[in-house]
C-alpha cells in the first residue's frame, strides 16, 4: 500500500509520497479523474443526443443498409469488454504490488485496445472500398463521427496505459505512483462504457 | 489506490461473463420481430445495466466513497434534461 499524504500546509508542502488526499477525504487524483470523466459524459451525451434527434426527425432514416456487420461489431465489443476486465485485474495487481501480473495485464489491455482499433480500421477500409464515407448520407456521417471520436479516446487510453506500463520499471513508481494505474483504468473503463452505448445504437437499432 | 478494494480474479471474470451475456442478449433481442421502439428501450436498458456493472465493480464505485458516486452520477440529470429538451421538438418519438 502506498502511504497517503494529507495536505496540512499551504506553503511549501512536502513532496507527496503517494496519492494526496484532500479535505473531502478523497484522493485528489481520483476525484480529478472523475470530474474529467463527468465532462466527457456531457461531451458524448451531446453527440448521442444529436444522433437520436437527427434520427427521430429524419423522414426515412437510411441506416447502414446492410453495410455494417453485426458479428464483427459483436466480436469487437467482446474484445473491448475483455480489455476492461484485464484493466481491472491490472489495478488489482498494482494494489498487491505484483509487478509481473501488472505488466502482463496492462500489456493485455493495450493489445486488446489496439486489436479493437485494428478491427475498426478494417471496417473503415471496407466502407471506403465500397465508396462509403462520411459524405454518403446522414447515417454514415454520424457513424464516422461517433466511432472516430470514440476510437480517438481508445487510442489515448492505450497511450496512457503504455506510459504507465513504461513507468512500472522504475522504483519511484512502486514507491509513490501505483495510483496511476487506477487513474488510467478509470479512463479506460469510461471508454468501454461509451462503446457499450454506441454499439447497439449504430449496429443493432 | 491505497484504499482500492481488490476483488478476486473470479469475481472480475464473473462480471465479464455478465457483461458479455447481456451484450449477446441485446444482439439476440435486436433480431426478434419486435416493434423498433420496444427494441430501442430494451437494448438501451441493457446498455445502462452493463454501464452500471462496469462503474460499480470495474471502476470500484461500489467500494469507494459515496461522494465519488455522487460525482459520477452528477451528469445524469443534465443528460436527461438535454435529451428530453431535444426530443420535445420531436414529440412523435416519445409516443
Amino acid at each position: 500500500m502506498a502511504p497517503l499524504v494529507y495536505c496540512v500546509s499551504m506553503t511549501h508542502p512536502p513532496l507527496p509520497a503517494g496519492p494526496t488526499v484532500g479535505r473531502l477525504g478523497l484522493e485528489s487524483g481520483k476525484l480529478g479523474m472523475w470530474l474529467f470523466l463527468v465532462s466527457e459524459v456531457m461531451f458524448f451525451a451531446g453527440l448521442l443526443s444529436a444522433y437520436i434527434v437527427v434520427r427521430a426527425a429524419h423522414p426515412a432514416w437510411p441506416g447502414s443498409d446492410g453495410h455494417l456487420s453485426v458479428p464483427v461489431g459483436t466480436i469487437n465489443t467482446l474484445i473491448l469488454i475483455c480489455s476492461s476486465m484485464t484493466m481491472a485485474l491490472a489495478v488489482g495487481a498494482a494494489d498487491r504490488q505484483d509487478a509481473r501480473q501488472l505488466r502482463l495485464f496492462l500489456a493485455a489491455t493495450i493489445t486488446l485496445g489496439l486489436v479493437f482499433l485494428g478491427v475498426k480500421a478494417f471496417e473503415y477500409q471496407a466502407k471506403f472500398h465500397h465508396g462509403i464515407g462520411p459524405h454518403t448520407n446522414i447515417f454514415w456521417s454520424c457513424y464516422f463521427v461517433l466511432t472516430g471520436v470514440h476510437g480517438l479516446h481508445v487510442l489515448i487510453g492505450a497511450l496512457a496505459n503504455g506510459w504507465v506500463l513504461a513507468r512500472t520499471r522504475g522504483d519511484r513508481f512502486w514507491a509513490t505512483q501505483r495510483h496511476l494505474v487506477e487513474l488510467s483504468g478509470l479512463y479506460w473503463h469510461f471508454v468501454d462504457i461509451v462503446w457499450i452505448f454506441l454499439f447497439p445504437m449504430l449496429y443493432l437499432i | 489506490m491505497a484504499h482500492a478494494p481488490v476483488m478476486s480474479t473470479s469475481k472480475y471474470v464473473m462480471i465479464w461473463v455478465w457483461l458479455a451475456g447481456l451484450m449477446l442478449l441485446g444482439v439476440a433481442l435486436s433480431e426478434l420481430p419486435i416493434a423498433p421502439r420496444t427494441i430501442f428501450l430494451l437494448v438501451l436498458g441493457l446498455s445502462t445495466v452493463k454501464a452500471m456493472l462496469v462503474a460499480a465493480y470495474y471502476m470500484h464505485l461500489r467500494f469507494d466513497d459515496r461522494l465519488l458516486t455522487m460525482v459520477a452520477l452528477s451528469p445524469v440529470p443534465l443528460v436527461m434534461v438535454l435529451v428530453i429538451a431535444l426530443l420535445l421538438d420531436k414529440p412523435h418519438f416519445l409516443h
Side-chain angles (χ1 to χ4, degrees), chain A residues 1 4 26-27 30 38 53 56-57 81-82 94-95 179 186 189 196 200, chain B residues 1-4 6 16 43 47 58-59 64-65 68 71 83 86 90 92-93:
Chain A
M1 295 288 178
L4 297 175
L26 301 173
E27 292 173 24
K30 193 187 283 188
V38 164
V53 170
I81 293 174
C82 275
D95 203 44
H179 62 287
L186 286 174
H189 295 309
I196 280 173
Chain B
M1 184 73 179
H3 296 298
V6 180
W16 180 84
V43 171
S47 293
Y58 284 174
M59 299 172 93
D64 270 331
D65 194 298
L68 277 182
V71 170
V83 171
L86 288 172
K90 309 292 168 203
H92 67 278
F93 193 75

PDB file of all heavy atoms in Angstrom, chain A residues 1 4 26-27 30 38 53 56-57 81-82 94-95 179 186 189 196 200, chain B residues 1-4 6 16 43 47 58-59 64-65 68 71 83 86 90 92-93:
ATOM      1  N   MET A   1       0.824  -1.193   0.000  1.00  0.00           N
ATOM      2  CA  MET A   1       0.000   0.000   0.000  1.00  0.00           C
ATOM      3  C   MET A   1       0.870   1.259   0.000  1.00  0.00           C
ATOM      4  O   MET A   1       1.761   1.393   0.819  1.00  0.00           O
ATOM      5  CB  MET A   1      -0.887   0.051   1.244  1.00  0.00           C
ATOM      6  CG  MET A   1      -1.906  -1.073   1.303  1.00  0.00           C
ATOM      7  SD  MET A   1      -3.187  -0.766   0.080  1.00  0.00           S
ATOM      8  CE  MET A   1      -4.180  -2.213   0.313  1.00  0.00           C
ATOM      9  N   LEU A   4      -0.372   7.452   2.315  1.00  0.00           N
ATOM     10  CA  LEU A   4      -1.167   8.625   1.962  1.00  0.00           C
ATOM     11  C   LEU A   4      -0.547   9.854   2.594  1.00  0.00           C
ATOM     12  O   LEU A   4       0.025   9.806   3.679  1.00  0.00           O
ATOM     13  CB  LEU A   4      -2.598   8.471   2.469  1.00  0.00           C
ATOM     14  CG  LEU A   4      -3.388   7.315   1.868  1.00  0.00           C
ATOM     15  CD1 LEU A   4      -4.746   7.223   2.552  1.00  0.00           C
ATOM     16  CD2 LEU A   4      -3.552   7.510   0.381  1.00  0.00           C
ATOM     17  N   LEU A  26     -10.985  12.430  -0.117  1.00  0.00           N
ATOM     18  CA  LEU A  26     -10.844  11.682  -1.367  1.00  0.00           C
ATOM     19  C   LEU A  26      -9.456  11.898  -1.942  1.00  0.00           C
ATOM     20  O   LEU A  26      -8.872  12.973  -1.777  1.00  0.00           O
ATOM     21  CB  LEU A  26     -11.882  12.162  -2.393  1.00  0.00           C
ATOM     22  CG  LEU A  26     -13.341  12.039  -1.998  1.00  0.00           C
ATOM     23  CD1 LEU A  26     -14.227  12.710  -3.034  1.00  0.00           C
ATOM     24  CD2 LEU A  26     -13.714  10.578  -1.851  1.00  0.00           C
ATOM     25  N   GLU A  27      -8.942  10.888  -2.618  1.00  0.00           N
ATOM     26  CA  GLU A  27      -7.667  11.050  -3.312  1.00  0.00           C
ATOM     27  C   GLU A  27      -7.856  12.086  -4.416  1.00  0.00           C
ATOM     28  O   GLU A  27      -8.781  11.974  -5.232  1.00  0.00           O
ATOM     29  CB  GLU A  27      -7.213   9.719  -3.897  1.00  0.00           C
ATOM     30  CG  GLU A  27      -6.831   8.699  -2.833  1.00  0.00           C
ATOM     31  CD  GLU A  27      -6.538   7.329  -3.438  1.00  0.00           C
ATOM     32  OE1 GLU A  27      -6.196   7.272  -4.629  1.00  0.00           O
ATOM     33  OE2 GLU A  27      -6.664   6.340  -2.708  1.00  0.00           O
ATOM     34  N   LYS A  30      -7.910  10.802  -8.046  1.00  0.00           N
ATOM     35  CA  LYS A  30      -9.125  10.064  -8.406  1.00  0.00           C
ATOM     36  C   LYS A  30     -10.308  11.010  -8.576  1.00  0.00           C
ATOM     37  O   LYS A  30     -11.091  10.882  -9.529  1.00  0.00           O
ATOM     38  CB  LYS A  30      -9.419   9.031  -7.315  1.00  0.00           C
ATOM     39  CG  LYS A  30     -10.472   8.019  -7.736  1.00  0.00           C
ATOM     40  CD  LYS A  30     -10.870   7.128  -6.592  1.00  0.00           C
ATOM     41  CE  LYS A  30      -9.847   6.071  -6.297  1.00  0.00           C
ATOM     42  NZ  LYS A  30     -10.340   5.089  -5.305  1.00  0.00           N
ATOM     43  N   VAL A  38     -16.761  13.225 -15.927  1.00  0.00           N
ATOM     44  CA  VAL A  38     -18.085  13.868 -15.962  1.00  0.00           C
ATOM     45  C   VAL A  38     -18.190  14.790 -17.178  1.00  0.00           C
ATOM     46  O   VAL A  38     -19.201  14.809 -17.886  1.00  0.00           O
ATOM     47  CB  VAL A  38     -18.324  14.658 -14.645  1.00  0.00           C
ATOM     48  CG1 VAL A  38     -19.485  15.632 -14.809  1.00  0.00           C
ATOM     49  CG2 VAL A  38     -18.604  13.701 -13.502  1.00  0.00           C
ATOM     50  N   VAL A  53     -31.832  12.638 -32.005  1.00  0.00           N
ATOM     51  CA  VAL A  53     -32.770  13.644 -32.512  1.00  0.00           C
ATOM     52  C   VAL A  53     -32.755  13.673 -34.041  1.00  0.00           C
ATOM     53  O   VAL A  53     -33.803  13.729 -34.692  1.00  0.00           O
ATOM     54  CB  VAL A  53     -32.435  15.025 -31.921  1.00  0.00           C
ATOM     55  CG1 VAL A  53     -33.239  16.116 -32.615  1.00  0.00           C
ATOM     56  CG2 VAL A  53     -32.723  15.031 -30.435  1.00  0.00           C
ATOM     57  N   ALA A  56     -34.605  10.652 -35.163  1.00  0.00           N
ATOM     58  CA  ALA A  56     -36.046  10.748 -34.942  1.00  0.00           C
ATOM     59  C   ALA A  56     -36.699  11.712 -35.924  1.00  0.00           C
ATOM     60  O   ALA A  56     -37.860  11.536 -36.308  1.00  0.00           O
ATOM     61  CB  ALA A  56     -36.316  11.198 -33.501  1.00  0.00           C
ATOM     62  N   ALA A  57     -35.953  12.714 -36.323  1.00  0.00           N
ATOM     63  CA  ALA A  57     -36.527  13.742 -37.194  1.00  0.00           C
ATOM     64  C   ALA A  57     -36.485  13.347 -38.664  1.00  0.00           C
ATOM     65  O   ALA A  57     -37.224  13.908 -39.474  1.00  0.00           O
ATOM     66  CB  ALA A  57     -35.769  15.057 -36.997  1.00  0.00           C
ATOM     67  N   ILE A  81     -14.738  -5.351 -23.968  1.00  0.00           N
ATOM     68  CA  ILE A  81     -15.162  -5.768 -22.628  1.00  0.00           C
ATOM     69  C   ILE A  81     -14.053  -6.585 -21.958  1.00  0.00           C
ATOM     70  O   ILE A  81     -13.776  -6.436 -20.766  1.00  0.00           O
ATOM     71  CB  ILE A  81     -16.471  -6.587 -22.710  1.00  0.00           C
ATOM     72  CG1 ILE A  81     -17.627  -5.698 -23.166  1.00  0.00           C
ATOM     73  CG2 ILE A  81     -16.821  -7.179 -21.350  1.00  0.00           C
ATOM     74  CD1 ILE A  81     -18.916  -6.462 -23.408  1.00  0.00           C
ATOM     75  N   CYS A  82     -13.389  -7.438 -22.768  1.00  0.00           N
ATOM     76  CA  CYS A  82     -12.240  -8.207 -22.241  1.00  0.00           C
ATOM     77  C   CYS A  82     -11.160  -7.254 -21.729  1.00  0.00           C
ATOM     78  O   CYS A  82     -10.551  -7.483 -20.673  1.00  0.00           O
ATOM     79  CB  CYS A  82     -11.641  -9.083 -23.334  1.00  0.00           C
ATOM     80  SG  CYS A  82     -12.449 -10.662 -23.519  1.00  0.00           S
ATOM     81  N   ALA A  94      -1.588  -4.079  -9.218  1.00  0.00           N
ATOM     82  CA  ALA A  94      -0.823  -2.932  -8.694  1.00  0.00           C
ATOM     83  C   ALA A  94      -1.039  -2.809  -7.192  1.00  0.00           C
ATOM     84  O   ALA A  94      -0.108  -2.517  -6.437  1.00  0.00           O
ATOM     85  CB  ALA A  94      -1.252  -1.653  -9.411  1.00  0.00           C
ATOM     86  N   ASP A  95      -2.261  -3.049  -6.759  1.00  0.00           N
ATOM     87  CA  ASP A  95      -2.564  -2.951  -5.334  1.00  0.00           C
ATOM     88  C   ASP A  95      -1.821  -4.017  -4.538  1.00  0.00           C
ATOM     89  O   ASP A  95      -1.414  -3.784  -3.402  1.00  0.00           O
ATOM     90  CB  ASP A  95      -4.078  -3.080  -5.133  1.00  0.00           C
ATOM     91  CG  ASP A  95      -4.530  -2.450  -3.831  1.00  0.00           C
ATOM     92  OD1 ASP A  95      -4.063  -1.339  -3.540  1.00  0.00           O
ATOM     93  OD2 ASP A  95      -5.326  -3.078  -3.114  1.00  0.00           O
ATOM     94  N   HIS A 179      -0.897   4.544  -7.903  1.00  0.00           N
ATOM     95  CA  HIS A 179      -2.271   5.003  -8.125  1.00  0.00           C
ATOM     96  C   HIS A 179      -2.524   5.413  -9.576  1.00  0.00           C
ATOM     97  O   HIS A 179      -3.668   5.527 -10.006  1.00  0.00           O
ATOM     98  CB  HIS A 179      -2.590   6.175  -7.196  1.00  0.00           C
ATOM     99  CG  HIS A 179      -1.735   7.375  -7.430  1.00  0.00           C
ATOM    100  ND1 HIS A 179      -0.407   7.421  -7.065  1.00  0.00           N
ATOM    101  CD2 HIS A 179      -2.007   8.561  -8.010  1.00  0.00           C
ATOM    102  CE1 HIS A 179       0.085   8.593  -7.400  1.00  0.00           C
ATOM    103  NE2 HIS A 179      -0.852   9.306  -7.982  1.00  0.00           N
ATOM    104  N   LEU A 186      -9.599   4.079 -14.793  1.00  0.00           N
ATOM    105  CA  LEU A 186     -10.893   4.766 -14.792  1.00  0.00           C
ATOM    106  C   LEU A 186     -11.210   5.291 -16.185  1.00  0.00           C
ATOM    107  O   LEU A 186     -12.331   5.173 -16.677  1.00  0.00           O
ATOM    108  CB  LEU A 186     -10.869   5.917 -13.772  1.00  0.00           C
ATOM    109  CG  LEU A 186     -10.936   5.521 -12.294  1.00  0.00           C
ATOM    110  CD1 LEU A 186     -10.760   6.744 -11.408  1.00  0.00           C
ATOM    111  CD2 LEU A 186     -12.254   4.831 -11.974  1.00  0.00           C
ATOM    112  N   HIS A 189     -12.086   2.320 -18.539  1.00  0.00           N
ATOM    113  CA  HIS A 189     -13.434   1.787 -18.327  1.00  0.00           C
ATOM    114  C   HIS A 189     -14.485   2.742 -18.891  1.00  0.00           C
ATOM    115  O   HIS A 189     -15.519   2.295 -19.414  1.00  0.00           O
ATOM    116  CB  HIS A 189     -13.688   1.543 -16.839  1.00  0.00           C
ATOM    117  CG  HIS A 189     -12.804   0.488 -16.252  1.00  0.00           C
ATOM    118  ND1 HIS A 189     -12.653  -0.754 -16.824  1.00  0.00           N
ATOM    119  CD2 HIS A 189     -12.011   0.494 -15.155  1.00  0.00           C
ATOM    120  CE1 HIS A 189     -11.818  -1.475 -16.091  1.00  0.00           C
ATOM    121  NE2 HIS A 189     -11.416  -0.735 -15.084  1.00  0.00           N
ATOM    122  N   ILE A 196     -20.318   0.651 -25.049  1.00  0.00           N
ATOM    123  CA  ILE A 196     -21.476  -0.149 -24.650  1.00  0.00           C
ATOM    124  C   ILE A 196     -22.769   0.517 -25.155  1.00  0.00           C
ATOM    125  O   ILE A 196     -23.743  -0.168 -25.487  1.00  0.00           O
ATOM    126  CB  ILE A 196     -21.495  -0.324 -23.110  1.00  0.00           C
ATOM    127  CG1 ILE A 196     -20.502  -1.429 -22.701  1.00  0.00           C
ATOM    128  CG2 ILE A 196     -22.890  -0.629 -22.597  1.00  0.00           C
ATOM    129  CD1 ILE A 196     -20.310  -1.572 -21.208  1.00  0.00           C
ATOM    130  N   PRO A 200     -24.907  -0.758 -29.731  1.00  0.00           N
ATOM    131  CA  PRO A 200     -26.300  -1.050 -30.099  1.00  0.00           C
ATOM    132  C   PRO A 200     -26.943   0.064 -30.914  1.00  0.00           C
ATOM    133  O   PRO A 200     -27.753  -0.218 -31.804  1.00  0.00           O
ATOM    134  CB  PRO A 200     -26.996  -1.232 -28.735  1.00  0.00           C
ATOM    135  CG  PRO A 200     -26.121  -0.579 -27.750  1.00  0.00           C
ATOM    136  CD  PRO A 200     -24.734  -0.678 -28.267  1.00  0.00           C
TER     137      PRO A 200
ATOM    138  N   MET B   1      -5.656   4.740  -4.551  1.00  0.00           N
ATOM    139  CA  MET B   1      -5.132   3.409  -4.789  1.00  0.00           C
ATOM    140  C   MET B   1      -4.969   2.645  -3.501  1.00  0.00           C
ATOM    141  O   MET B   1      -5.275   1.466  -3.404  1.00  0.00           O
ATOM    142  CB  MET B   1      -3.781   3.535  -5.495  1.00  0.00           C
ATOM    143  CG  MET B   1      -3.176   2.225  -5.875  1.00  0.00           C
ATOM    144  SD  MET B   1      -4.080   1.528  -7.257  1.00  0.00           S
ATOM    145  CE  MET B   1      -3.151   0.075  -7.490  1.00  0.00           C
ATOM    146  N   ALA B   2      -4.556   3.381  -2.479  1.00  0.00           N
ATOM    147  CA  ALA B   2      -4.295   2.703  -1.219  1.00  0.00           C
ATOM    148  C   ALA B   2      -5.565   2.065  -0.669  1.00  0.00           C
ATOM    149  O   ALA B   2      -5.516   1.051  -0.009  1.00  0.00           O
ATOM    150  CB  ALA B   2      -3.729   3.680  -0.206  1.00  0.00           C
ATOM    151  N   HIS B   3      -6.732   2.690  -0.983  1.00  0.00           N
ATOM    152  CA  HIS B   3      -7.974   2.162  -0.465  1.00  0.00           C
ATOM    153  C   HIS B   3      -8.705   1.327  -1.500  1.00  0.00           C
ATOM    154  O   HIS B   3      -9.826   0.912  -1.246  1.00  0.00           O
ATOM    155  CB  HIS B   3      -8.864   3.307   0.008  1.00  0.00           C
ATOM    156  CG  HIS B   3      -8.267   4.062   1.156  1.00  0.00           C
ATOM    157  ND1 HIS B   3      -8.005   3.472   2.354  1.00  0.00           N
ATOM    158  CD2 HIS B   3      -7.873   5.350   1.265  1.00  0.00           C
ATOM    159  CE1 HIS B   3      -7.480   4.368   3.185  1.00  0.00           C
ATOM    160  NE2 HIS B   3      -7.386   5.508   2.542  1.00  0.00           N
ATOM    161  N   ALA B   4      -8.082   1.144  -2.676  1.00  0.00           N
ATOM    162  CA  ALA B   4      -8.781   0.403  -3.722  1.00  0.00           C
ATOM    163  C   ALA B   4      -9.008  -1.020  -3.265  1.00  0.00           C
ATOM    164  O   ALA B   4      -8.064  -1.732  -2.928  1.00  0.00           O
ATOM    165  CB  ALA B   4      -7.964   0.413  -5.011  1.00  0.00           C
ATOM    166  N   VAL B   6      -9.712  -4.911  -3.574  1.00  0.00           N
ATOM    167  CA  VAL B   6      -9.305  -5.883  -4.586  1.00  0.00           C
ATOM    168  C   VAL B   6     -10.322  -7.016  -4.588  1.00  0.00           C
ATOM    169  O   VAL B   6     -10.441  -7.746  -3.611  1.00  0.00           O
ATOM    170  CB  VAL B   6      -7.906  -6.431  -4.285  1.00  0.00           C
ATOM    171  CG1 VAL B   6      -7.502  -7.444  -5.350  1.00  0.00           C
ATOM    172  CG2 VAL B   6      -6.909  -5.300  -4.223  1.00  0.00           C
ATOM    173  N   TRP B  16     -17.359  -9.987 -16.166  1.00  0.00           N
ATOM    174  CA  TRP B  16     -17.172 -10.044 -17.624  1.00  0.00           C
ATOM    175  C   TRP B  16     -18.203 -10.973 -18.260  1.00  0.00           C
ATOM    176  O   TRP B  16     -18.760 -10.663 -19.317  1.00  0.00           O
ATOM    177  CB  TRP B  16     -15.759 -10.537 -17.961  1.00  0.00           C
ATOM    178  CG  TRP B  16     -15.540 -10.612 -19.445  1.00  0.00           C
ATOM    179  CD1 TRP B  16     -15.164  -9.597 -20.271  1.00  0.00           C
ATOM    180  CD2 TRP B  16     -15.732 -11.759 -20.282  1.00  0.00           C
ATOM    181  NE1 TRP B  16     -15.112 -10.045 -21.570  1.00  0.00           N
ATOM    182  CE2 TRP B  16     -15.461 -11.364 -21.608  1.00  0.00           C
ATOM    183  CE3 TRP B  16     -16.111 -13.078 -20.050  1.00  0.00           C
ATOM    184  CZ2 TRP B  16     -15.544 -12.242 -22.691  1.00  0.00           C
ATOM    185  CZ3 TRP B  16     -16.218 -13.954 -21.130  1.00  0.00           C
ATOM    186  CH2 TRP B  16     -15.923 -13.523 -22.431  1.00  0.00           C
ATOM    187  N   VAL B  43     -32.824  -2.537 -25.544  1.00  0.00           N
ATOM    188  CA  VAL B  43     -31.375  -2.594 -25.769  1.00  0.00           C
ATOM    189  C   VAL B  43     -30.663  -1.489 -24.994  1.00  0.00           C
ATOM    190  O   VAL B  43     -29.607  -1.716 -24.389  1.00  0.00           O
ATOM    191  CB  VAL B  43     -31.074  -2.504 -27.285  1.00  0.00           C
ATOM    192  CG1 VAL B  43     -29.594  -2.331 -27.530  1.00  0.00           C
ATOM    193  CG2 VAL B  43     -31.568  -3.757 -27.985  1.00  0.00           C
ATOM    194  N   SER B  47     -27.910  -1.750 -22.001  1.00  0.00           N
ATOM    195  CA  SER B  47     -26.660  -0.981 -22.016  1.00  0.00           C
ATOM    196  C   SER B  47     -26.471  -0.238 -20.694  1.00  0.00           C
ATOM    197  O   SER B  47     -25.355  -0.149 -20.169  1.00  0.00           O
ATOM    198  CB  SER B  47     -26.652   0.027 -23.171  1.00  0.00           C
ATOM    199  OG  SER B  47     -26.623  -0.653 -24.402  1.00  0.00           O
ATOM    200  N   TYR B  58     -15.830  -2.585 -11.911  1.00  0.00           N
ATOM    201  CA  TYR B  58     -14.523  -2.353 -12.519  1.00  0.00           C
ATOM    202  C   TYR B  58     -13.965  -0.981 -12.137  1.00  0.00           C
ATOM    203  O   TYR B  58     -12.754  -0.811 -12.011  1.00  0.00           O
ATOM    204  CB  TYR B  58     -14.618  -2.478 -14.043  1.00  0.00           C
ATOM    205  CG  TYR B  58     -14.702  -3.905 -14.551  1.00  0.00           C
ATOM    206  CD1 TYR B  58     -14.909  -4.170 -15.895  1.00  0.00           C
ATOM    207  CD2 TYR B  58     -14.571  -4.990 -13.689  1.00  0.00           C
ATOM    208  CE1 TYR B  58     -14.991  -5.473 -16.373  1.00  0.00           C
ATOM    209  CE2 TYR B  58     -14.651  -6.283 -14.150  1.00  0.00           C
ATOM    210  CZ  TYR B  58     -14.856  -6.521 -15.489  1.00  0.00           C
ATOM    211  OH  TYR B  58     -14.926  -7.817 -15.952  1.00  0.00           O
ATOM    212  N   MET B  59     -14.871   0.005 -11.974  1.00  0.00           N
ATOM    213  CA  MET B  59     -14.393   1.343 -11.580  1.00  0.00           C
ATOM    214  C   MET B  59     -14.474   1.537 -10.067  1.00  0.00           C
ATOM    215  O   MET B  59     -14.213   2.628  -9.562  1.00  0.00           O
ATOM    216  CB  MET B  59     -15.196   2.417 -12.315  1.00  0.00           C
ATOM    217  CG  MET B  59     -15.069   2.336 -13.833  1.00  0.00           C
ATOM    218  SD  MET B  59     -16.166   3.438 -14.724  1.00  0.00           S
ATOM    219  CE  MET B  59     -15.108   4.867 -14.950  1.00  0.00           C
ATOM    220  N   ASP B  64     -15.923   2.539  -3.247  1.00  0.00           N
ATOM    221  CA  ASP B  64     -15.313   3.837  -2.946  1.00  0.00           C
ATOM    222  C   ASP B  64     -16.247   4.697  -2.110  1.00  0.00           C
ATOM    223  O   ASP B  64     -17.390   4.324  -1.848  1.00  0.00           O
ATOM    224  CB  ASP B  64     -14.971   4.558  -4.259  1.00  0.00           C
ATOM    225  CG  ASP B  64     -13.570   4.227  -4.740  1.00  0.00           C
ATOM    226  OD1 ASP B  64     -12.703   3.930  -3.889  1.00  0.00           O
ATOM    227  OD2 ASP B  64     -13.340   4.234  -5.960  1.00  0.00           O
ATOM    228  N   ASP B  65     -15.734   5.857  -1.738  1.00  0.00           N
ATOM    229  CA  ASP B  65     -16.528   6.838  -1.005  1.00  0.00           C
ATOM    230  C   ASP B  65     -17.776   7.202  -1.823  1.00  0.00           C
ATOM    231  O   ASP B  65     -17.707   7.377  -3.037  1.00  0.00           O
ATOM    232  CB  ASP B  65     -15.666   8.088  -0.770  1.00  0.00           C
ATOM    233  CG  ASP B  65     -16.272   9.007   0.265  1.00  0.00           C
ATOM    234  OD1 ASP B  65     -17.398   9.508   0.033  1.00  0.00           O
ATOM    235  OD2 ASP B  65     -15.641   9.224   1.306  1.00  0.00           O
ATOM    236  N   LEU B  68     -17.848  10.004  -4.432  1.00  0.00           N
ATOM    237  CA  LEU B  68     -17.424   9.760  -5.811  1.00  0.00           C
ATOM    238  C   LEU B  68     -18.592   9.279  -6.667  1.00  0.00           C
ATOM    239  O   LEU B  68     -18.702   9.629  -7.841  1.00  0.00           O
ATOM    240  CB  LEU B  68     -16.292   8.725  -5.848  1.00  0.00           C
ATOM    241  CG  LEU B  68     -14.883   9.233  -5.587  1.00  0.00           C
ATOM    242  CD1 LEU B  68     -13.888   8.088  -5.711  1.00  0.00           C
ATOM    243  CD2 LEU B  68     -14.502  10.348  -6.545  1.00  0.00           C
ATOM    244  N   VAL B  71     -20.508  12.262  -7.586  1.00  0.00           N
ATOM    245  CA  VAL B  71     -19.812  12.989  -8.666  1.00  0.00           C
ATOM    246  C   VAL B  71     -20.079  12.279  -9.994  1.00  0.00           C
ATOM    247  O   VAL B  71     -20.396  12.918 -11.008  1.00  0.00           O
ATOM    248  CB  VAL B  71     -18.301  13.063  -8.386  1.00  0.00           C
ATOM    249  CG1 VAL B  71     -17.554  13.590  -9.612  1.00  0.00           C
ATOM    250  CG2 VAL B  71     -18.022  13.948  -7.186  1.00  0.00           C
ATOM    251  N   VAL B  83     -31.626  15.415 -23.254  1.00  0.00           N
ATOM    252  CA  VAL B  83     -32.341  14.504 -24.165  1.00  0.00           C
ATOM    253  C   VAL B  83     -33.816  14.874 -24.254  1.00  0.00           C
ATOM    254  O   VAL B  83     -34.389  14.979 -25.347  1.00  0.00           O
ATOM    255  CB  VAL B  83     -32.174  13.043 -23.693  1.00  0.00           C
ATOM    256  CG1 VAL B  83     -33.075  12.111 -24.484  1.00  0.00           C
ATOM    257  CG2 VAL B  83     -30.718  12.622 -23.827  1.00  0.00           C
ATOM    258  N   LEU B  86     -34.399  18.096 -26.160  1.00  0.00           N
ATOM    259  CA  LEU B  86     -34.216  17.920 -27.606  1.00  0.00           C
ATOM    260  C   LEU B  86     -35.363  17.126 -28.218  1.00  0.00           C
ATOM    261  O   LEU B  86     -35.836  17.429 -29.317  1.00  0.00           O
ATOM    262  CB  LEU B  86     -32.880  17.217 -27.888  1.00  0.00           C
ATOM    263  CG  LEU B  86     -31.626  18.065 -27.651  1.00  0.00           C
ATOM    264  CD1 LEU B  86     -30.381  17.213 -27.767  1.00  0.00           C
ATOM    265  CD2 LEU B  86     -31.560  19.213 -28.654  1.00  0.00           C
ATOM    266  N   LYS B  90     -39.441  16.739 -31.129  1.00  0.00           N
ATOM    267  CA  LYS B  90     -39.951  15.629 -31.951  1.00  0.00           C
ATOM    268  C   LYS B  90     -40.898  14.794 -31.095  1.00  0.00           C
ATOM    269  O   LYS B  90     -40.587  13.654 -30.727  1.00  0.00           O
ATOM    270  CB  LYS B  90     -38.795  14.738 -32.457  1.00  0.00           C
ATOM    271  CG  LYS B  90     -37.690  15.508 -33.121  1.00  0.00           C
ATOM    272  CD  LYS B  90     -38.160  16.104 -34.422  1.00  0.00           C
ATOM    273  CE  LYS B  90     -37.133  17.126 -34.920  1.00  0.00           C
ATOM    274  NZ  LYS B  90     -37.746  18.104 -35.837  1.00  0.00           N
ATOM    275  N   HIS B  92     -43.444  13.048 -31.536  1.00  0.00           N
ATOM    276  CA  HIS B  92     -43.906  11.741 -32.010  1.00  0.00           C
ATOM    277  C   HIS B  92     -42.964  10.628 -31.587  1.00  0.00           C
ATOM    278  O   HIS B  92     -43.356   9.473 -31.476  1.00  0.00           O
ATOM    279  CB  HIS B  92     -44.032  11.747 -33.543  1.00  0.00           C
ATOM    280  CG  HIS B  92     -42.721  11.868 -34.249  1.00  0.00           C
ATOM    281  ND1 HIS B  92     -42.103  13.087 -34.445  1.00  0.00           N
ATOM    282  CD2 HIS B  92     -41.902  10.946 -34.778  1.00  0.00           C
ATOM    283  CE1 HIS B  92     -40.951  12.876 -35.095  1.00  0.00           C
ATOM    284  NE2 HIS B  92     -40.811  11.595 -35.299  1.00  0.00           N
ATOM    285  N   PHE B  93     -41.703  10.971 -31.316  1.00  0.00           N
ATOM    286  CA  PHE B  93     -40.723   9.970 -30.906  1.00  0.00           C
ATOM    287  C   PHE B  93     -41.017   9.449 -29.496  1.00  0.00           C
ATOM    288  O   PHE B  93     -40.629   8.355 -29.136  1.00  0.00           O
ATOM    289  CB  PHE B  93     -39.321  10.580 -30.955  1.00  0.00           C
ATOM    290  CG  PHE B  93     -38.222   9.555 -30.853  1.00  0.00           C
ATOM    291  CD1 PHE B  93     -37.906   8.741 -31.922  1.00  0.00           C
ATOM    292  CD2 PHE B  93     -37.512   9.405 -29.676  1.00  0.00           C
ATOM    293  CE1 PHE B  93     -36.908   7.791 -31.820  1.00  0.00           C
ATOM    294  CE2 PHE B  93     -36.501   8.458 -29.575  1.00  0.00           C
ATOM    295  CZ  PHE B  93     -36.204   7.650 -30.658  1.00  0.00           C
TER     296      PHE B  93
END
